[in-house]
Amino acid sequence: VILELEGMRRFIVIGHRAATSGDFNLNDLCGSAGRLDILLRCINSSFFLSHAIRRDVELFLILKGEPHPPRTIRLNGREIKYLNPDERSTAALIRNALLKKLNGEVRSTPGIYISKRNFEDAIEKCSKTQLIYLKEDGENIRNVRIEDDVTFVLSDDRNLNEEEESILEKYNAHKVSLGPLDLHTDHCIILVHNEIDRRNKLQKEKMIQVESTSFGKVIIDGKTYGDVLIVDNEVIPRNKGLLRKVFGSSHKISEEEVKKLLEGDVEVIVIGTGQSGVLSVNPHIREKIKSANIELVVSKTPEAIKLFNSLAKEKKVNALIHTTC
Ligand SMILES: C[S@@+](CC[C@H](N)C(=O)[O-])C[C@H]1O[C@@H](n2cnc3c(N)ncnc32)[C@H](O)[C@@H]1O
C-alpha cells in the first residue's frame, strides 16, 4: 500500500453542498448539483496538461451535500480513462459514480472510485504523506519544502468549518499560502502544480551525472577528476596529499571527509571503493553513518557510480569516489 502511495501529488477538495445523488441536472451544475461545477474544474486542473494527463495525481472529492452525505469520489491519474476537458462530460462520469450501489469503495469507471468515506477518512488515508492545508494566511509556499509524496487540502467556495480545521490540526497539517489574494480552488491546484513542476525541472538540471570511471579517473558532467567527494550536488576533489600524510595512503577515509559526507539533508551515502575495491570503510565510520539514520552503499567504483546516478534521481545522495585500486 505504501509503495502505491509513493511519489504522488494528492489533492483533497471539500464540496460543502455538492450533490450526493445522481439525479442532478447536467444543465444546472452550479445550482441543483450544489456547486459541483467547482469540483469539476478541480478535476480539470488536477489532471489536464495540454496534450496529456498527469498520471502522478490523485484527487479526493468530498461531497457533503444532500441527500446522502458524505460521499468520497477518488480519481486516480494512473488508471483514469474517458476524461475530457469539457465539464459536462466529466459531470456525467461523476453522476455515474453517484448512481452506483455502494459496498465499501466501488469502481465506477477506470480510475474513478466512490465510497461513503468522509473527510477524516481521506485525511487518514493520506496521513503518511506530507499534509498541506492551503490557506491564504499560511506560510509562503516558496519557503516550504515539498516532499515527493504530498497531499494538499482545499475548500470549495466556502472556507473549511471548525470541525474540518480541527481534523487538519489533529493530523498536524502545515498551513501554506499561494499568495496574498483569495483565489478559486481550481486555480490553486494549477499554481501548486506549477510550483512543483518548476522545482522538479530545476532539480533535474542540477543533478550531477557521473559518466564513467577508469584507473585514477572519474568523469563527471564532462569534466575529468581524480578522487572526489560529491556533497550537495557539488564535486570536491579529495585532498590526497593530506590523506597520504595522515594515513600514509588515500585508501582510508578521514574524519573530515565523513563530516562532509553527512552534510545537507543527505539520505544516502555512496562510497566507491576503487576499481578493485581497496579503499576500506572502517566499522567506526559505518556506525557513524548508520546512527545518523543515513543509508550507506559501499561498492567498487564502476558499480558505485551507476548506483549513484540511479539513487540521485529519487534521493539526496552524497558520495566518495576513489578512483585508483
Ligand atoms: C474560494 S476559496 C474559499 C472561500 C473564501 N476564502 C471565502 O472567503 O469564502 C477556495 C479555497 O482555495 C484555497 N485558497 C484560496 N486562495 C488561496 C491562497 N492565496 N493561498 C492558499 N490557498 C488559497 C483555500 O483552500 C480556500 O479554501
Side-chain angles (χ1 to χ4, degrees), residues 133-136 153-160 176-185 188:
Y133 169 25
L134 287 174
K135 187 91 177 98
E136 300 82 296
V153 179
L154 307 101
S155 189
D156 54 2
D157 58 324
R158 295 190 173 169
N159 283 326
L160 292 190
V176 171
S177 167
L178 296 166
L181 303 183
D182 199 0
L183 306 167
H184 280 194
T185 317
C188 291

Side-chain angles (χ1 to χ4, degrees), residues 71-73 97-98 100 102 104-106 112-116:
R71 291 286 187 264
T72 290
I73 296 184
L98 287 167
K100 286 274 164 200
L102 294 188
E105 190 184 60
V106 173
I112 302 188
Y113 298 82
I114 179 157
S115 68
K116 292 183 183 172

Side-chain angles (χ1 to χ4, degrees), residues 96-253:
N96 288 346
L98 287 167
L99 290 170
K100 286 274 164 200
K101 205 163 176 278
L102 294 188
N103 179 12
E105 190 184 60
V106 173
R107 193 183 90 149
S108 169
T109 45
I112 302 188
Y113 298 82
I114 179 157
S115 68
K116 292 183 183 172
R117 290 180 188 148
N118 61 21
F119 176 54
E120 183 159 6
D121 296 330
I123 295 288
E124 165 67 32
K125 192 165 159 51
C126 301
S127 62
K128 290 205 176 71
T129 76
Q130 181 187 17
L131 201 55
I132 292 183
Y133 169 25
L134 287 174
K135 187 91 177 98
E136 300 82 296
D137 60 352
E139 187 181 349
N140 181 352
I141 192 159
R142 301 251 160 105
N143 303 329
V144 176
R145 186 186 144 105
I146 302 176
E147 313 278 337
D148 285 343
D149 213 7
V150 57
T151 305
F152 297 90
V153 179
L154 307 101
S155 189
D156 54 2
D157 58 324
R158 295 190 173 169
N159 283 326
L160 292 190
N161 62 33
E162 268 181 35
E163 188 198 345
E164 290 155 352
E165 282 200 328
S166 74
I167 291 169
L168 288 175
E169 256 172 55
K170 181 170 139 193
Y171 284 86
N172 287 321
H174 184 167
K175 214 195 261 188
V176 171
S177 167
L178 296 166
L181 303 183
D182 199 0
L183 306 167
H184 280 194
T185 317
D186 54 322
H187 297 173
C188 291
I189 293 175
I190 292 289
L191 288 179
V192 165
H193 274 322
N194 184 253
E195 184 70 27
I196 303 178
D197 292 344
R198 283 171 177 274
R199 289 185 195 192
N200 286 353
K201 181 157 186 282
L202 271 181
Q203 176 84 16
K204 277 206 190 110
E205 283 167 357
K206 244 181 74 192
M207 235 173 64
I208 277 182
Q209 269 294 313
V210 186
E211 289 162 27
S212 63
T213 180
S214 56
F215 192 84
K217 276 190 205 165
V218 60
I219 301 180
I220 301 174
D221 291 339
K223 273 177 82 177
T224 304
Y225 299 86
D227 280 21
V228 292
L229 297 175
I230 301 175
V231 175
D232 216 5
N233 262 303
E234 244 187 78
V235 184
I236 309 165
R238 288 184 85 201
N239 191 340
K240 282 181 123 178
L242 186 69
L243 290 167
R244 285 207 192 92
K245 216 160 142 191
V246 177
F247 299 120
S249 95
S250 60
H251 293 146
K252 293 215 167 84
I253 303 173

Side-chain angles (χ1 to χ4, degrees), residues 35-93:
R35 297 306 314 262
L36 193 65
D37 60 312
I38 298 174
L39 304 187
L40 297 169
R41 286 196 288 277
C42 288
I43 295 178
N44 272 7
S45 305
S46 298
F47 293 104
F48 282 113
L49 289 166
S50 179
H51 296 289
I53 296 237
R54 293 182 183 267
R55 296 288 168 198
D56 60 346
V57 173
E58 192 168 43
L59 171 66
F60 296 77
L61 302 174
I62 317 292
L63 281 52
K64 294 182 93 169
E66 292 303 328
H68 307 300
R71 291 286 187 264
T72 290
I73 296 184
R74 182 169 71 85
L75 299 96
N76 185 304
R78 296 214 173 118
E79 303 162 33
I80 207 152
K81 284 189 185 158
Y82 316 130
L83 198 60
N84 286 306
D86 82 283
E87 281 167 29
R88 234 179 104 91
S89 83
T90 309
L93 291 176

Side-chain angles (χ1 to χ4, degrees), residues 4 10 28 107 132 148 272 274 312 318:
E4 186 195 295
R10 292 185 183 72
D28 187 23
R107 193 183 90 149
I132 292 183
D148 285 343
N318 288 345

